[in-house]
Amino acid sequence: MKTILLTCCGLLLLTALRAQNLEGVWKGYAAAESQGWYYGTGSYIMDIQQTTAGKYTGTAWFYETPQLYGELTVTGQRNDSADNWRFEEIKFNALTIPKNHSARLAVMNLKLFDIDGEIVLQGNMISYSKYTGKVHTKRVLRLSKLSGAEIAALEIPGSRKTIPVAAPSKPDTVKPAPEQRKNRVQGSYDISSPAIDISLYDYGTIDHDTVTVFFNGVKVADRQELTGSPLRIHLTADASREYQELVLHANNLGDIPPNTSKMIILTSDKRYELKVTSSETENAMIRFRYVK
């Protein structure tokens, strides 16, 4: 009976994702692939509207460097046979690009995933050579849908444009609080001054691990993906507390479970490096004792 119930729940979730209306603003990153390696991550934003059932049109913005960014027109359509959505970049509306570089429009084949309660639009993004028709660049695109508040605070990189916030057709559904996870202490250190600098990297293979970080119960980083470049967090210890607690909450397990990160800790006089592991049942905790 348990197996049947789980199967039914899985089918209901899959059906709900397939029926999802993609209309709204989505933001995330595009990472280029070359011989199995990913590099040159840049931000990507899509503002899309549904024209008819399963068909979309809209505007997209990409930003890689101050010398490489642009705005595009996109169209999309639901592909039931492949169980995905196919979006195409139709034309450049604006483009800033270095000399001796060229830009190519891309085709995206995207699917919806529910990752720790967050709906993510993810898939491949491919551009083709206009001379040979062969694949020129292959990227992985990962986008999250923005709330009205996030859209209001959004500024398009490179253009300083903003996106008007549409009035919701119905009240936002309040998501239930995530289940409580155990905090497992994975490091304990003494500190003699309040300044603590944390650098987080994905551990080993870069596999899209995402974490939310809390310090003394206050969120200091929200759903940040770990890469080969450091996620830097500056912390200030509370002098009124003997023990300070840093907690890493896994938002996903990445492509290779569990969620693992390399953490470098710099205090006023010490440097520590450790591997930190978190999962769907346990948070990773680092504890600091403030010795005055």
Side-chain angles (χ1 to χ4, degrees):
M1 177 62 73
K2 184 176 181 181
T3 302
I4 294 173
L5 288 174
L6 288 174
T7 302
C8 290
C9 290
L11 288 173
L12 287 172
L13 176 59
L14 180 59
T15 301
L17 289 177
R18 286 175 176 171
Q20 180 88 15
N21 183 351
L22 301 187
E23 192 169 59
V25 180
W26 298 76
K27 180 184 178 183
Y29 69 88
E33 179 187 4
S34 176
Q35 297 180 342
W37 293 88
Y38 292 90
Y39 65 93
T41 57
S43 65
Y44 198 89
I45 300 168
M46 279 206 303
D47 179 15
I48 51 180
Q49 297 82 41
Q50 183 169 284
T51 54
T52 58
K55 293 187 178 181
Y56 299 88
T57 185
T59 305
W61 296 266
F62 74 91
Y63 183 93
E64 293 192 16
T65 71
Q67 293 78 41
L68 181 57
Y69 58 92
E71 177 185 299
L72 310 102
T73 295
V74 296
T75 61
Q77 184 170 351
R78 170 72 185 168
N79 184 352
D80 288 324
S81 62
D83 190 26
N84 66 9
W85 284 264
R86 179 184 174 87
F87 281 87
E88 293 187 37
E89 296 175 338
I90 300 301
K91 66 175 182 177
F92 290 103
N93 302 326
L95 180 64
T96 298
I97 191 169
K99 292 182 178 179
N100 302 322
H101 281 64
S102 61
R104 293 170 174 82
L105 300 171
V107 174
M108 299 162 273
N109 294 295
L110 308 174
K111 289 190 176 185
L112 281 175
F113 298 90
D114 187 330
I115 302 176
D116 195 34
E118 178 186 12
I119 303 301
V120 173
L121 195 57
Q122 180 172 308
N124 60 50
M125 181 180 191
I126 301 174
S127 60
Y128 297 88
S129 169
K130 63 181 179 181
Y131 302 108
T132 66
K134 294 183 179 179
V135 173
H136 178 265
T137 305
K138 184 178 180 181
R139 294 181 171 86
V140 170
L141 184 67
R142 179 187 173 110
L143 305 172
S144 299
K145 196 169 188 178
L146 302 186
S147 66
E150 290 171 323
I151 297 171
L154 180 65
E155 186 175 276
I156 304 301
S159 70
R160 296 187 176 180
K161 288 184 177 180
T162 58
I163 300 174
V165 182
S169 57
K170 59 181 181 179
D172 291 337
T173 302
V174 178
K175 292 184 179 180
E179 61 178 312
Q180 294 296 316
R181 300 183 186 181
K182 295 180 181 179
N183 292 331
R184 182 164 66 91
V185 177
Q186 299 186 24
S188 297
Y189 307 98
D190 288 345
I191 57 174
S192 56
S193 66
I196 308 170
D197 287 307
I198 304 293
S199 296
L200 290 170
Y201 307 77
D202 205 345
Y203 187 88
T205 303
I206 308 301
D207 65 333
H208 311 303
D209 287 331
T210 303
V211 297
T212 295
V213 184
F214 299 86
F215 184 61
N216 290 338
V218 177
K219 186 185 294 184
V220 293
D222 186 22
R223 295 180 180 271
Q224 294 294 306
E225 180 165 351
L226 302 178
T227 67
S229 300
L231 168 62
R232 302 184 191 277
I233 306 172
H234 177 74
L235 306 173
T236 302
D238 184 348
S240 66
R241 301 175 53 151
E242 180 180 3
Y243 289 97
Q244 323 285 320
E245 295 178 343
L246 180 68
V247 173
L248 270 69
H249 173 96
N251 296 117
N252 65 12
L253 300 182
D255 299 331
I256 308 172
N259 187 309
T260 54
S261 60
K262 180 176 80 172
M263 178 183 292
I264 296 175
I265 304 169
L266 295 177
T267 67
S268 60
D269 57 351
K270 299 287 184 180
R271 181 186 185 278
Y272 306 100
E273 182 174 324
L274 66 155
K275 176 184 177 182
V276 177
T277 302
S278 51
S279 68
E280 293 178 335
T281 58
E282 286 188 336
N283 296 324
M285 176 184 283
I286 309 301
R287 184 171 287 158
F288 300 96
R289 185 168 71 101
Y290 199 162
V291 182
K292 301 178 184 179

